[in-house]
Amino acid sequence: MKMDDNSMSILENVDEDKKLEFLKKCIDRISDAATVPFADLCKSFPEIDPASVMMCFGAILKDTENYITNKKENIDETLLQILDEQSEKVKNSFKDKFLAGQEKLLNFDWKANLVLESNSISNLNEPIVTLSFSVKNKDDVIVECNEEELDSLIQELEKAKLEAQSVFS
């Protein structure tokens, strides 16, 4: 953790075994491996006041998010070691939590049309694609685009796929 982050400075004076135990319990709580009630977490470390435990937990959660998105440069060495050991469990937990609230694509349909003319242009001859996405618990999403817009949409979706893969791989 960044030492300029006061929420982690409370661990500077805690012996290494207690620090390790505290960090592991926090990571277990974050990854749901063991649902450690917050009050029990505070009771386990009476030398740390509850407000400081809560602030420290918030900093650990933020660093765990940074770890998952490969921003590891400012993470406390002991925490980084724990996260490396429990990498799959932590990543899967974050993935499950992230995806739990997301809409799910149920079905996809497309239709191609050739627009020969419109009320303002007599010789248009432009191919148009209509995409229909059926999404869980949502109204269908319908997108109509020309070839250039379709290429742009595909490029953006490929970028989003790569970003999601980098976060969840």
Side-chain angles (χ1 to χ4, degrees):
M1 298 278 163
K2 297 175 238 172
M3 282 306 149
D4 62 329
D5 185 353
N6 291 333
S7 56
M8 281 304 289
S9 63
I10 61 167
L11 295 179
E12 289 176 346
N13 298 323
V14 175
D15 91 83
E16 282 300 310
D17 289 339
K18 274 290 205 185
K19 178 181 177 180
L20 184 63
E21 180 185 355
F22 178 78
L23 292 173
K24 283 184 176 183
K25 283 190 176 190
C26 288
I27 296 303
D28 283 347
R29 183 177 168 89
I30 289 168
S31 64
D32 289 332
T35 308
V36 180
F38 190 74
D40 289 352
L41 190 60
C42 292
K43 287 177 191 173
S44 299
F45 305 97
E47 65 274 13
I48 305 173
D49 69 280
S52 295
V53 170
M54 189 166 75
M55 287 182 357
C56 189
F57 182 79
I60 293 167
L61 179 60
K62 184 175 177 14
D63 277 355
T64 303
E65 291 173 6
N66 287 337
Y67 175 85
I68 289 170
T69 57
N70 295 315
K71 299 173 189 163
K72 302 176 184 179
E73 58 274 353
N74 293 320
I75 299 177
D76 177 80
E77 289 178 33
T78 308
L79 179 59
L80 189 58
Q81 180 183 358
I82 295 166
L83 289 170
D84 284 341
E85 290 169 1
Q86 300 183 22
S87 175
E88 286 304 309
K89 177 177 72 173
V90 171
K91 285 182 179 182
N92 288 337
S93 174
F94 266 74
K95 181 179 178 180
D96 292 344
K97 288 176 185 175
F98 175 78
L99 295 176
Q102 302 300 310
E103 289 81 17
K104 181 179 178 184
L105 182 63
L106 300 175
N107 196 8
F108 168 78
D109 197 12
W110 63 275
K111 177 173 55 170
N113 295 310
L114 181 61
V115 178
L116 300 174
E117 59 185 58
S118 71
N119 61 348
S120 60
I121 301 173
S122 62
N123 192 12
L124 191 57
N125 290 328
E126 181 174 27
I128 300 290
V129 175
T130 303
L131 309 171
S132 178
F133 303 93
S134 297
V135 182
K136 183 178 179 181
N137 299 325
K138 293 271 186 174
D139 292 335
D140 284 359
V141 176
I142 299 173
V143 178
E144 192 171 272
C145 49
N146 61 26
E147 184 177 3
E148 183 180 299
E149 294 166 331
L150 179 62
D151 287 341
S152 178
L153 175 64
I154 290 169
Q155 287 175 354
E156 291 301 314
L157 290 172
E158 286 174 349
K159 285 181 195 175
K161 177 184 173 187
L162 289 173
E163 182 68 24
Q165 286 174 336
S166 73
V167 169
F168 296 123
S169 63

